[in-house]
Amino acid sequence: MDLVNVISDDRQFDRLPPLLEELKKYQIEHKIWDACIDKKTVLESITESFRRIIQEAKDNGLKRVIIAEDDLMFPSDGSWEYFLKNEPVQYHVYIGGSYIIDNRWVYEPPLVKVESWVGNHLIMVHESYYDTWLSSKPNGHIDTEQSGKGDFYVCFPYAALQRPSMSANNKGQIVNYNSVVPKEYIYKG
């Protein structure tokens, strides 16, 4: 089953409704997880939110787990199916879209092999990577903290983007990371 585990921060009440509409439209099964908000720092809270889901996947013997943040958006019809059908045969983390554009990487469909990524709006973590992820430092950026630790692939063109919204990582400022992504890097169906 392709269950999407959605981390939702109910203090940012405007983020979840548009995602729920998309999940319904594309008939995507999901489970909503309350974001951890009780740690000393935002980064520690984000890290803990992801750890809880990965720990549950490990405890339940899941081969892989799909995690989304509540600012996830699909750029076009068919994006979800494109993401699923291009899951690598072997990987540690498979990413729906990234905000690192590196000219050393080969950007060709359907996958880009990367050393690191920015953006956990839609990721798939393989069971072979659970322990590595769970051993990450609690106070780093959980995406860039993985840099160089495994085999990472980004779906290309990007099947997932972050909806412009307030960012806990940026002191509550509204951010639109999509402005750095070339239009041809975004899946159009």
Side-chain angles (χ1 to χ4, degrees):
M1 176 174 58
D2 296 314
L3 178 77
V4 177
N5 295 274
V6 177
I7 299 169
S8 178
D9 184 343
D10 63 5
R11 297 171 302 172
Q12 297 182 18
F13 59 89
D14 59 327
R15 288 170 50 148
L16 188 58
L19 176 59
L20 290 175
E21 286 179 26
E22 286 195 74
L23 296 173
K24 182 179 180 181
K25 177 181 178 180
Y26 299 121
Q27 301 178 340
I28 300 171
E29 293 190 48
H30 59 278
K31 175 181 178 182
I32 306 298
W33 292 71
D34 290 332
C36 174
I37 57 172
D38 62 353
K39 300 298 178 190
K40 290 180 185 175
T41 68
V42 170
L43 293 177
E44 289 174 303
S45 291
I46 292 169
T47 297
E48 182 59 26
S49 295
F50 279 86
R51 280 189 174 159
R52 289 184 310 181
I53 296 169
I54 291 171
Q55 186 65 58
E56 180 177 278
K58 179 182 177 182
D59 293 346
N60 289 314
L62 298 180
K63 299 290 183 195
R64 60 158 167 75
V65 62
I66 303 170
I67 306 172
E69 294 176 327
D70 58 6
D71 59 357
L72 166 67
M73 68 178 203
F74 296 105
S76 66
D77 290 343
S79 295
W80 172 243
E81 291 82 6
Y82 184 76
F83 176 73
L84 289 178
K85 88 173 183 184
N86 290 299
E87 177 183 353
V89 175
Q90 292 185 324
Y91 65 97
H92 290 122
V93 182
Y94 175 42
I95 303 108
S98 176
Y99 293 98
I100 291 179
I101 309 297
D102 190 320
N103 62 8
R104 296 171 295 171
W105 300 336
V106 178
Y107 288 86
E108 292 180 358
L111 298 169
V112 178
K113 174 104 168 76
V114 298
E115 294 295 318
S116 60
W117 75 95
V118 170
N120 281 332
H121 41 289
L122 180 63
I123 62 171
M124 187 182 292
V125 181
H126 191 271
E127 68 177 336
S128 61
Y129 199 72
Y130 291 165
D131 288 334
T132 302
W133 188 290
L134 292 168
S135 69
S136 299
K137 292 187 294 187
N139 58 349
H141 287 273
I142 195 62
D143 46 8
T144 56
E145 176 66 28
Q146 307 310 313
S147 182
K149 294 181 181 177
D151 289 324
F152 310 131
Y153 293 88
V154 177
C155 184
F156 189 79
Y158 297 168
L161 299 171
Q162 284 183 314
R163 186 178 312 283
S165 63
M166 283 189 357
S167 171
N169 274 336
N170 290 292
K171 300 176 183 169
Q173 294 179 335
I174 294 178
V175 295
N176 181 3
Y177 297 114
N178 301 324
S179 63
V180 303
V181 178
K183 300 280 187 233
E184 63 271 16
Y185 283 29
I186 299 171
Y187 183 76
K188 294 174 184 64

